[in-house]
Amino acid sequence: MDSQMDWHAARAALEWQVEMGVTEAISETPINRFEQVAPPPKAGVAPGVQAPAVPVLPVAEFDPVAEAESVARSAQDLTGLQAAMADYPHCELRKGARNLVFCDGVAGARVMIIGEAPGRDEDRIGKPFVGRAGQLLDRMLSAIDLGRDREAAQSVYITNVLPWRPPQNRDPKPDEMAMMLPFLKRHIALAKPEVLVVMGNISCQALLGKRGITRLRGHWAEAEGLPVIPMFHPAYLLRNPAAKREAWADLLDLHARLTKKV
Ligand code: URA
């Protein structure tokens, strides 16, 4: 090809060739294959005799989700699960995070709250929901007589879909969520709550397989064999205070279920 040919002309020429049915790139100068010297036969195979076909074995692809499922399954308690997550090397988010944010509150509480991912404050301190959204969450819980520092029936247990802060608080990617989901499921199984509260779209996506918190909120669903109530995320409520009315209705609904009024 003329080296002076500009980009547009080169592209037009290429498109023309593709249109004409060209499927293979060949070199600029012709090659006379009759003059080419045949390569020496391979060792052990007589000339003219076809070499036996070498079976092509499928290369087993590494599956980080299967690996997560396996290590999560083998965790026997919450301490073991936290250690397994700390050792799990395949989620890129861990590289940019300062801390693994595992949980707060009381393990074994009736209510398990599932947020999305740590933010800056949570990453710094190593606990979920300690920033402004977390303070609002504490006020919301206290309004129905619950709290992460309360005892027995009034306590809650808190975790997130992702234990590491995504850079710039971006939404987690589907592969990151898929890798960490087996750990979340095992977390729920080991914490043994009666009820799950999933806060925000990411948590709904992880546990209910769908987004659309405005439609989902306030309707009891089921995940991991447990009743689930989707709620607005407290960070959303900070940006949209008018939505606190619906959040209050959902809290009352949760309270009613816990006190067997529904
Ligand atoms: N938002 C979350 O979803 N989780 C946290 O831990 C903090 C903010």
Side-chain angles (χ1 to χ4, degrees):
M1 185 189 297
D2 177 359
S3 60
Q4 299 305 308
M5 187 183 270
D6 73 12
W7 185 88
H8 295 285
R11 189 190 163 110
L14 184 61
E15 279 172 358
W16 178 81
Q17 291 187 40
V18 171
E19 226 168 90
M20 290 297 108
V22 175
T23 55
E24 206 175 324
I26 50 175
S27 72
E28 287 175 34
T29 44
I31 300 169
N32 185 346
R33 306 229 177 243
F34 293 107
E35 284 174 3
Q36 278 184 323
V37 181
K42 287 203 181 119
V45 181
V49 177
Q50 211 180 353
V54 179
V56 181
L57 299 174
V59 180
E61 268 191 31
F62 174 72
D63 180 354
V65 177
E67 162 100 357
E69 278 163 0
S70 158
V71 289
R73 206 179 310 120
S74 57
Q76 296 305 304
D77 54 25
L78 292 167
T79 314
L81 183 67
Q82 183 170 2
M85 288 165 80
D87 284 347
Y88 181 76
H90 307 296
C91 182
E92 289 289 303
L93 292 177
R94 62 176 296 135
K95 293 186 185 158
R98 287 199 213 177
N99 276 302
L100 177 136
V101 175
F102 185 67
C103 72
D104 199 13
V106 179
R110 296 177 72 195
V111 178
M112 182 165 181
I113 295 173
I114 300 174
E116 300 185 339
R120 194 190 48 197
D121 296 321
E122 291 77 18
D123 181 42
R124 195 166 42 84
I125 292 170
K127 284 187 180 182
F129 282 105
V130 292
R132 279 186 67 221
Q135 287 156 20
L136 175 57
L137 174 62
D138 286 338
R139 292 200 295 279
M140 289 162 67
L141 293 171
S142 140
I144 52 164
D145 204 22
L146 295 176
R148 61 178 105 190
D149 299 323
R150 305 285 301 273
E151 285 183 5
Q154 268 68 49
S155 61
V156 299
Y157 185 64
I158 307 179
T159 192
N160 283 311
V161 173
L162 289 163
W164 294 291
R165 181 193 183 196
Q168 276 83 49
N169 295 345
R170 65 155 169 77
D171 276 359
K173 296 179 187 166
D175 67 319
E176 294 162 347
M177 286 178 61
M179 270 181 237
M180 300 319 291
L181 189 57
F183 293 105
L184 176 63
K185 291 183 171 186
R186 187 74 183 139
H187 204 156
I188 294 168
L190 291 169
K192 298 193 182 70
E194 275 176 37
V195 169
L196 297 174
V197 178
V198 294
M199 302 199 116
N201 268 324
I202 304 290
S203 319
C204 287
Q205 177 74 57
L207 283 176
L208 303 177
K210 50 191 167 190
R211 290 180 178 236
I213 189 65
T214 312
R215 269 177 295 110
L216 295 172
R217 62 139 286 275
H219 300 286
W220 286 91
E222 200 191 296
E224 301 307 296
L226 295 169
V228 177
I229 183 149
M231 283 188 62
F232 283 135
H233 193 284
Y236 174 81
L237 296 174
L238 287 173
R239 296 192 301 274
N240 301 278
K244 284 183 184 169
R245 215 160 69 113
E246 282 103 330
W248 177 237
D250 298 343
L251 286 170
L252 290 179
D253 203 355
L254 172 63
H255 181 67
R257 178 168 285 240
L258 292 171
T259 52
K260 299 264 185 310
K261 289 185 194 139
V262 284

